[in-house]
Amino acid sequence: MKKFVINGGKRLNGEVEVSTSKNAILPILAASILADKKDVILECVPSITDVERMLLIIESIGGKVDFNNGVACINSENISSFEVLGENPSKFRASYYMIGSLLGRFKKAKVALPGGCPIGERPIDQHIKGFKALGATVELTSEYIYVEAKELIGTNIFFDVVSVGATINIMLAAVFADGVTTLENVAKEPHVVDVANFLNTMGANIKGAGTDVIRISGIKKLSGCMYQAIPDQIEAGTYMIAAAAIGEEVTITNVIPKHLEPVTAKLLEIGIEVIENGESITVKGAKTALKPIKIQTLQYPGFPTDLQQPMGALLSLVEGTSTISERVYENRFLYLTQLEKMGVKYAIEGRDASITGTKSLNPAVLIATDLRAGASLIIAGLCANGTSEVLDIDHVDRGYYKFDEKLKKLGADITRLEV
Ligand code: UD1
């Protein structure tokens, strides 16, 4: 088991560079198998566990993968299998993008059901609705999903739920469909736009990504290209929140400030100074007492659910009672049971939580129950008076590139141990 040992109380200072977005690069990797003979060359790819797993999937179906120094070169010419089964795909969520890509490429796909963080039910009914609407039949077992279509035909699809995964998956399946596919009530997250941009760079005809309606005019072939995905706004937001909690002056580089507006707005409301400078953001630790706030997580451009847990760690240090309404997932407050070990008081009622902050956090042994919970506990550990441990950090390695090394560079005392 891997864990972090953190000697808390060291103020963070300096510059930290954000890596490429996990939630953009994973579907982009899945989309790369739609290319013809020419290589897809992806730059600045972070070697986080989920990326390594996705590359293994591409190799397992016959793709050629060369991943060195952050450059992933993928050749899909010899991909022959439409099956992605076994343990690997069920260890992370984004493996389900192979359903859309393989359906697009082979008109059939058999993919193990995805895993991912235990933060709620996470059904895939909207994906299935989309595949069926394009003309596919769907067989769903407790282990895999099998989709098959004689022909994929463009149509209108109105999603009942705004879903990042369903929006991207149906986009992937529809690029080669006959005619025009119109997706309504789609997710507008920056990574949805990035995947559409990537597909368009390969030769697709997708319009409207970033709005409520996406139109995909089917084409016959896609070609390899070079591409660099957007910076990770969740990683950037995590460093902003860490800086607000225990920073003096931290500059976060390689960011798109527009993507971080919901976080910036909340930090300003708490009483933190946030300065946007082009492609970087500087966060200055508070000199006066912070104010409790209300947060509601929503789809983009609302406050991202993935930053709700890191924000919970910050609110633990804000005197008074803050409230969080979690509107995206039904079970994303498990980390509060861990913060309680540090002296934090909280109450949960359905999808709402209230956190009553304390002046200082006690050190504790904490268990990371999922990726963003892990980030939250690490921030809390950085703030505690004494030595804390965060266990089960495999979750964190799935999504944060060199988290401990980047924090060390900012002055944190954090050590990775394998026991
Ligand atoms: C993606 C992100 C995750 C982020 C989430 C919301 C990846 C790999 N993961 O997850 O980090 O927290 O977006 O920004 O990109 N839903 C349904 N039916 C469906 C699909 C979704 O009811 O068919 C519900 C989900 O249970 C959830 C909500 O819709 O309550 C949003 O889910 P969705 O946007 O699909 O999240 P993911 O793509 O799983």
Side-chain angles (χ1 to χ4, degrees):
M1 188 190 55
K2 292 181 219 151
K3 66 179 178 182
F4 285 139
V5 178
I6 304 169
N7 291 315
K10 307 269 186 305
R11 304 291 298 271
L12 305 181
N13 254 307
E15 228 177 77
V16 58
E17 190 183 354
V18 169
S19 301
T20 292
S21 165
K22 159 185 164 296
N23 289 348
I25 198 67
L26 291 170
I28 285 174
L29 284 168
S32 70
I33 71 147
L34 294 168
D36 60 2
K37 296 177 182 171
K38 208 172 146 199
D39 289 352
V40 167
I41 299 167
L42 301 169
E43 295 176 308
C44 299
V45 178
S47 59
I48 48 178
T49 322
D50 276 11
V51 162
E52 280 155 14
R53 287 187 177 136
M54 188 60 101
L55 292 173
L56 280 177
I57 287 178
I58 296 172
E59 280 180 332
S60 76
I61 53 174
K64 197 167 157 268
V65 174
D66 181 22
F67 184 30
N68 268 311
N69 295 326
V71 179
C73 183
I74 293 151
N75 188 286
S76 302
E77 192 181 356
N78 294 324
I79 291 184
S80 53
S81 170
F82 60 89
E83 290 192 3
V84 175
L85 299 169
E87 258 188 32
N88 181 35
S90 60
K91 285 188 175 151
F92 67 122
R93 193 91 203 135
S95 58
Y96 63 14
Y97 291 128
M98 294 308 294
I99 312 169
S101 280
L102 288 167
L103 181 62
R105 181 169 169 142
F106 293 114
K107 306 235 173 6
K108 55 185 170 182
K110 191 173 185 182
V111 178
L113 294 182
C117 295
I119 51 182
E121 262 193 50
R122 310 189 85 177
I124 55 166
D125 56 305
Q126 297 305 303
H127 304 237
I128 292 173
K129 173 178 171 169
F131 296 138
K132 282 185 175 166
L134 289 171
T137 54
V138 178
E139 181 197 349
L140 187 65
T141 74
S142 56
E143 280 163 18
Y144 63 80
I145 174 169
Y146 178 62
V147 288
E148 184 176 3
K150 280 205 180 70
E151 275 179 299
L152 293 166
I153 299 182
T155 184
N156 277 23
I157 301 166
F158 188 98
F159 291 110
D160 308 319
V161 178
V162 177
S163 158
V164 171
T167 304
I168 294 178
N169 231 343
I170 305 310
M171 228 161 49
L172 294 171
V175 274
F176 291 145
D178 281 342
V180 178
T181 303
T182 304
L183 308 180
E184 292 187 66
N185 197 26
V186 295
K188 295 179 278 207
E189 265 70 2
H191 35 288
V192 172
V193 180
D194 208 34
V195 177
N197 287 342
F198 171 66
L199 288 166
N200 284 341
T201 309
M202 288 209 293
N205 184 351
I206 301 174
K207 297 202 170 92
T211 73
D212 292 316
V213 182
I214 295 179
R215 274 197 186 80
I216 305 145
S217 303
I219 39 97
K220 294 282 176 241
K221 90 180 184 96
L222 294 176
S223 186
C225 66
M226 277 186 91
Y227 198 76
Q228 184 177 332
I230 51 169
D232 195 315
Q233 92 263 32
I234 303 302
E235 187 194 6
T238 304
Y239 288 115
M240 288 171 75
I241 293 167
I246 181 99
E248 266 168 12
E249 185 168 329
V250 175
T251 297
I252 300 130
T253 63
N254 188 33
V255 300
I256 299 174
K258 176 91 190 135
H259 296 167
L260 290 155
E261 273 171 3
V263 188
T264 302
K266 282 295 154 191
L267 292 184
L268 291 173
E269 206 179 312
I270 296 180
I272 298 287
E273 196 180 338
V274 181
I275 305 152
E276 291 180 1
N277 351 277
E279 291 183 7
S280 69
I281 287 185
T282 298
V283 177
K284 294 188 179 177
K287 298 199 173 63
T288 53
L290 298 177
K291 293 185 278 291
I293 53 163
K294 285 186 180 167
I295 291 183
Q296 176 164 262
T297 67
L298 284 173
Q299 282 81 11
Y300 188 82
F303 189 89
T305 171
D306 284 358
L307 288 174
Q308 183 262 105
Q309 295 148 299
M311 200 65 169
L314 171 62
L315 297 179
S316 301
L317 286 157
V318 177
E319 282 185 80
T321 301
S322 297
T323 56
I324 299 177
S325 288
E326 173 54 66
R327 287 288 166 265
V328 182
Y329 292 110
E330 62 271 19
N331 188 19
R332 216 169 191 179
F333 289 132
L334 217 53
Y335 70 104
L336 290 174
T337 61
Q338 301 300 307
L339 291 183
E340 191 178 26
K341 297 180 188 170
M342 306 178 99
V344 176
K345 302 229 170 353
Y346 73 93
I348 298 173
E349 220 184 295
R351 288 185 173 210
D352 298 326
S354 59
I355 300 177
T356 304
T358 144
K359 265 208 174 92
S360 64
L361 296 174
N362 302 321
V365 177
L366 308 162
I367 299 163
T369 48
D370 64 75
L371 168 57
R372 308 299 170 188
S376 171
L377 302 179
I378 290 167
I379 293 173
L382 294 174
C383 300
N385 290 322
T387 305
S388 296
E389 292 188 4
V390 180
L391 315 184
D392 288 354
I393 57 167
D394 281 343
H395 289 295
V396 179
D397 291 336
R398 279 189 39 223
Y400 287 91
Y401 182 58
K402 297 191 172 174
F403 201 8
D404 45 333
E405 287 178 36
K406 291 187 186 185
L407 285 171
K408 260 190 210 158
K409 212 178 135 222
L410 290 175
D413 184 344
I414 176 168
T415 310
R416 176 185 287 267
L417 288 181
E418 216 157 316
V419 279

